[in-house]
Amino acid sequence: MKTNKIDHISIAVKDLDGARKMWEPILGKSGPDDSYMDELEKIRVARYWLGDVGFELMESTTPDGPVAKWIEKNGEGVMIVSFNVDKTREAIQELESKDYHFIPAPGGEKARSFRDCEFAFIHPKKVNNVLLELIDYKWEEVKEE
């Protein structure tokens, strides 16, 4: 498997609007470069482009969402480190053959859909308690700038 780059780093926050006010002056931004809500993952996200790496602030949209559970257990802070790969499904197959375990989506699939790509989470117990994401995001909007 080839890792192309760090795709993004995600920070779990309780209050997205409050976190934006704290982070945007540090990032030199007046607003997110990309805002979205992911109903399946139960999150609201403010994403900022820092060169060719994304920096995300994530807030749970429900008290039982993965981000809310993470914060309850670990507090606010870095939740996800994401690596960009060419093909998520191929990376899953290769790493599973090397005894890496993936966290399935609620429907049971290991590869999850996002826009025009797929992503998957390696179980933190295998990688020093880091929630590691593999994603084959193409970064077309940054290439156009």
Side-chain angles (χ1 to χ4, degrees), residues 91-105 109-112 120-128 130-134:
I92 291 170
Q93 289 176 344
E94 181 179 334
L95 291 175
E96 280 186 322
S97 74
K98 296 176 181 173
D99 202 31
Y100 288 84
H101 301 281
F102 287 79
I103 301 170
E109 279 285 318
K110 292 172 188 161
R112 305 166 188 228
F121 293 112
I122 296 175
H123 198 286
K125 288 183 181 176
K126 184 68 177 185
V127 285
N128 303 102
V130 173
L131 182 56
L132 187 62
E133 177 183 37
L134 304 177

Side-chain angles (χ1 to χ4, degrees), residues 34-93:
D34 183 16
S35 289
Y36 64 92
M37 189 175 302
D38 187 327
E39 290 183 26
L40 288 175
E41 297 296 324
K42 301 178 182 180
I43 55 174
R44 189 167 71 112
V45 177
R47 179 186 287 172
Y48 304 87
W49 305 128
L50 302 173
D52 65 349
V53 175
F55 181 84
E56 296 182 344
L57 301 172
M58 298 186 312
E59 171 188 70
S60 185
T61 57
T62 64
D64 67 336
V67 171
K69 289 178 183 177
W70 176 274
I71 291 171
E72 186 177 306
K73 183 178 177 183
N74 303 291
E76 293 181 291
V78 176
M79 180 176 170
I80 299 168
V81 175
S82 180
F83 290 158
N84 186 275
V85 297
D86 290 332
K87 295 182 181 174
T88 299
R89 288 181 185 260
E90 288 178 12
I92 291 170
Q93 289 176 344

Side-chain angles (χ1 to χ4, degrees), residues 3 6 9 13 19 22 34 36 42-43 70 86 88 91 99-100 105-106 115 137-140:
T3 299
I6 293 175
I9 296 169
V13 301
M22 184 177 10
D34 183 16
Y36 64 92
K42 301 178 182 180
I43 55 174
W70 176 274
D86 290 332
T88 299
D99 202 31
Y100 288 84
R115 295 182 178 163
Y137 195 68
K138 302 301 180 234
W139 284 80
E140 298 300 330

